[in-house]
Amino acid sequence: MKTAIRFLVLSAGLMGLFAGCSEKLEPKPITYSQLLTGTEKKIWRLVSFEVVDEGKKSGVVPIQNALDPCRSDDRYVFYADESHKLEYLNGTTKCSTTEADTLFEDSWTMINSNATLEFVIPVFSGSILPFTIKNLTETSMTVEIYYDKIYVEPIDASYRFTFNSTTK
């Protein structure tokens, strides 16, 4: 009986101790921008693409099967800074011995309301294009560009690009 009373008193005391804590923990969900850039910068590598033509998928094509080896290992660095800096960097295989480590710098833009990411994929377009984010996690990103965003005439086709990241 004494043991049961002691347990109740101790339990009530602990409950009062925890009930006295007033700090409210509010979760802070990760945004698309944070997934894209991490806290400072994040490095992505294009790993595959797929063409969707009139609803028919071409099948996933590994990037090393589509590009010259000196381009298939290049990297994209998205920065979390205010200017939204984007760097396109050479991989370990360069196209020439005189080629710079940084191939070009630009910027990126994200529009969360319609999950659009605007940036350059130089080997496919060379200009800033609006890509729809199909999937974005800490380690994988798939974006899609529709032909009507590139060309004037309406064509029912699109490109899907998948990138991987090993940085947080």
Side-chain angles (χ1 to χ4, degrees), residues 12 20 30 32 46 49 60 74 100 111 119 128 142 147-148 152 157 166:
I30 295 177
Y32 272 148
L46 181 61
F49 76 95
V60 175
D74 291 351
I111 304 164
F119 71 108
I128 295 175
T142 301
Y147 275 101
D148 65 349
V152 176
T166 56

Side-chain angles (χ1 to χ4, degrees), residues 13 21 24 28-29 42 54-55 57 66 69-70 72 78 85 87 94 107 126 129 141 143:
C21 295
K24 187 176 182 181
K28 295 180 181 176
K42 191 179 260 190
E54 294 184 352
K57 297 179 181 179
C70 68
S72 64
F78 290 84
K85 181 178 168 183
E87 288 181 327
K94 292 186 177 185
S107 63
L129 295 172
M141 170 173 62
V143 295

Side-chain angles (χ1 to χ4, degrees), residues 38-134:
T39 55
E40 189 178 315
K41 67 180 178 180
K42 191 179 260 190
I43 301 167
W44 295 89
R45 192 174 76 76
L46 181 61
V47 294
S48 66
F49 76 95
E50 181 175 31
V51 177
V52 181
D53 189 3
E54 294 184 352
K56 295 177 185 159
K57 297 179 181 179
S58 67
V60 175
V61 178
I63 206 65
Q64 65 268 17
N65 294 354
L67 295 179
D68 190 308
C70 68
R71 289 287 168 240
S72 64
D73 68 347
D74 291 351
R75 298 162 315 217
Y76 299 77
V77 183
F78 290 84
Y79 286 84
D81 61 3
E82 287 183 20
S83 65
H84 291 171
K85 181 178 168 183
L86 168 70
E87 288 181 327
Y88 180 58
L89 306 176
N90 244 319
T92 54
T93 307
K94 292 186 177 185
C95 293
S96 75
T97 56
T98 59
E99 196 171 42
D101 290 337
T102 301
L103 296 170
F104 79 85
E105 291 182 6
D106 204 4
S107 63
W108 60 271
T109 303
M110 185 167 301
I111 304 164
N112 282 333
S113 62
N114 59 359
T116 300
L117 175 61
E118 295 178 344
F119 71 108
V120 175
I121 296 182
V123 293
F124 287 97
S125 71
S127 58
I128 295 175
L129 295 172
F131 295 91
T132 301
I133 299 169
K134 303 303 277 181

Side-chain angles (χ1 to χ4, degrees), residues 5-24:
I5 293 174
R6 280 187 187 172
F7 178 73
L8 287 174
V9 170
L10 181 59
S11 297
L14 288 174
M15 287 174 56
L17 178 68
F18 290 118
C21 295
S22 63
E23 183 177 352
K24 187 176 182 181

